[in-house]
Amino acid sequence: MINLQPYENPMYFGYLLIGLLPIIIGMLYEKRFRWYETLFSFCFLVLIFDGPKLGQGIALIGYTIFEVLLTWGYVRYRTRPKGANKTSIFVLAVILSIAPLVVVKFTPLFDPQHPSIFGFLGISYLTFKVVGMIMETRDGMIKEFNILKFLQFLLFFPTISSGPIDRYRRFIKDYDRVPTKEKYLELLEKGVHYVMIGFLYKFILGYFFGTLLLPNIEKIALINGHSNVLGLSWSLVGVMYAYSMYLFFDFAGYSLFAVGISYIMGIQTPINFNKPFASWNIKEFWNRWHMTLSFWFRDYIYMRFVFFMIKHKVLKSRIAIANLGYVVLFLIMGIWHGETWYYIVYGLFHATVMILTDAWLRFKKKHPDLLPSNRFTKVMSVVLTFHVVCFSFLIFSGFLDKLWFGFR
């Protein structure tokens, strides 16, 4: 067997095309071969986790069994006729669902040389799906549990490693429905289009910025960094731009592959990026960047935290609660990326900018005539937001850690 990283190896796409043909033919005849889709997903999971990643594959199996049993148990408990609304059981279910991810994320703090045996490619995104399922069950939006459908949702292979993060009810709606031939031809056209744009983004533009340009600019920036105390130089600005472009095109390209393959399989997985660098403030940016993740954090962390604070009257000011919610939200997001200082600073930086943006929007609302709203001010807002985001990505890249601490 050959170990294949999703959407990284040309051979992966060759196998993918062969595997998709029966699905495409079936869909054109308005038939969904669910047994084949299950076999197809299983074969690609074997390809991903075979060879040197066999340990990760075993961890995935154990994780899946644990999370399926946990979710089944909570759905069954929650949908009982009586006495099924205890907050403590809900909290326990959420804690248990994220426990494997927490172990994987924090193990490096105690043993940097040996990653957790529970870790595998995509554990974060699978955990987000499970937590979402439990929370929507708590809210009464999910009233039954079908183990086969849940497994299809959880282990849907186009999105298993890095998203986009789908929602159970939306996924099952597509999975249960077989589109008409005309509708499927539209999905097929969009799917192929997304895959082609993905190739442009990831293998051409991402390769240019990340492989050809970025390493050379980083070398120059490191050399120039020795000539002054802070390591500031125009080459550092170049690193900021090059890394930001690489991060976007590489990740957006990957997401387009996942969305495109999903469409070809008749599943309309949500788009992850929507022209994020055209945002006119940081709030708008998070409505366009890695949207399924940012919406997940918004719905399941920020909104629930704010609601809890208001319900229990922890603070009188709703503005203070919202600001504290931003700090909690982005601090968790930063720590989720990693426990190093630059991920945490990245999160706190975005929380600060969000708080300042809210303050500015409130000020503008009270003083509408102070700064006119026209094409020029909108362009300037986009430019300013773009540079704020790029600076945050420079922090996120870890290059400042290398520049300031790695060689001093």
Side-chain angles (χ1 to χ4, degrees), residues 17 20 24 184-199 256-257 259-264:
L17 177 60
L20 285 172
I24 296 172
Y184 180 68
L185 286 173
E186 294 179 10
L187 294 177
L188 183 62
E189 181 181 2
K190 288 182 179 180
V192 172
H193 174 74
Y194 288 143
V195 171
M196 291 299 102
I197 298 298
F199 273 107
L256 285 169
F257 287 143
V259 171
I261 300 304
S262 300
Y263 271 56
I264 293 172

Side-chain angles (χ1 to χ4, degrees), residues 127-146:
T127 301
F128 294 149
K129 288 182 176 182
V130 173
V131 172
M133 178 84 171
I134 291 173
M135 289 192 172
E136 291 192 355
T137 299
R138 159 76 170 184
D139 296 340
M141 292 185 286
I142 297 174
K143 300 183 182 299
E144 61 181 20
F145 182 84
N146 183 303

Side-chain angles (χ1 to χ4, degrees), residues 63-102:
Y63 171 91
T64 302
I65 294 173
F66 171 75
E67 296 289 5
V68 167
L69 291 175
L70 175 66
T71 307
W72 169 79
Y74 183 72
V75 173
R76 187 170 181 179
Y77 165 80
R78 184 64 180 85
T79 53
R80 290 188 309 173
K82 295 180 179 180
N85 195 27
K86 289 186 178 179
T87 302
S88 58
I89 301 298
F90 164 69
V91 172
L92 178 62
V94 171
I95 291 174
L96 290 175
S97 68
I98 65 174
L101 177 61
V102 172

